[in-house]
Amino acid sequence: MYGLIGRMIAQPGKRDELIAIMQGGTAKMPGCISYVIALDPADDDSIWITEVWDDEASHKGSLTLPQVQATIAKARPLIAGFENRTVTTPVVITS
Amino acid sequence: MYGLIGRMIAQPGKRDELIAIMQGGTAKMPGCISYVIALDPADDDSIWITEVWDDEASHKGSLTLPQVQATIAKARPLIAGFENRTVTTPVVITS
């Protein structure tokens, strides 16, 4: 499996709007095992995103999906940056 | 919801053994929505753990479960430390 952990920073005051856009664009992505969007309680503009994919190719492929490309286009103006990006290799998933 | 992201550092060479112990002890925890254990490809001794709970009380309650207490007792000698602990508020879960 292939995992990503990262923090996305919204433009000031735009976090909720950014999450609403992302929520619509990240459903039903082939090979996506888990996709969690979380608020950072310590920073009003930060979002933590944790992803589990069956493999890296599925993650890369998702970026070419029309729904994802449309989401990226809508979200980009609301994003100030990315931090703390970590690639992982998930081995156990309980849900 | 209540989320945790953190890195656990195993004693040198003990990562696989530690994960095997944790895998047995983290199944079927009430209120646990997702529990992912992942290798850190950049560090042979590091494990990333990302958790989603229905609320903080469920997470705290899990620490009192006999299966979890037994797991902690077995795992403790294999753990060198914890880093990068972040509390989150998950708002969207896709799986």
Side-chain angles (χ1 to χ4, degrees), chain A residues 9 18 20 46 52 56 60-62 81 90-91:
Chain A
I9 297 100
L18 179 55
S46 284
V52 181
E56 186 174 0
K60 285 192 174 169
S62 74
V91 290

Side-chain angles (χ1 to χ4, degrees), chain A:
Chain A
M1 286 183 282
Y2 178 78
L4 290 169
I5 299 170
R7 190 157 68 94
M8 182 185 287
I9 297 100
Q11 297 289 356
K14 297 294 185 185
R15 183 168 70 173
D16 289 351
E17 189 178 342
L18 179 55
I19 289 172
I21 291 169
M22 293 178 59
Q23 179 169 14
T26 54
K28 297 183 184 172
M29 296 184 288
C32 184
I33 295 168
S34 175
Y35 196 100
V36 177
I37 302 174
L39 310 179
D40 185 335
D43 177 357
D44 284 349
D45 295 322
S46 284
I47 301 164
W48 285 94
I49 301 172
T50 51
E51 309 172 40
V52 181
W53 297 83
D54 55 3
D55 57 25
E56 186 174 0
S58 289
H59 172 253
K60 285 192 174 169
S62 74
L63 301 176
T64 69
L65 296 171
Q67 74 183 71
V68 173
Q69 291 197 329
T71 298
I72 292 171
K74 279 192 286 187
R76 189 177 287 128
L78 307 181
I79 300 172
F82 296 90
E83 291 184 6
N84 308 89
R85 186 177 189 275
T86 301
V87 174
T88 72
T89 306
V91 290
V92 178
I93 299 185
T94 305
S95 61

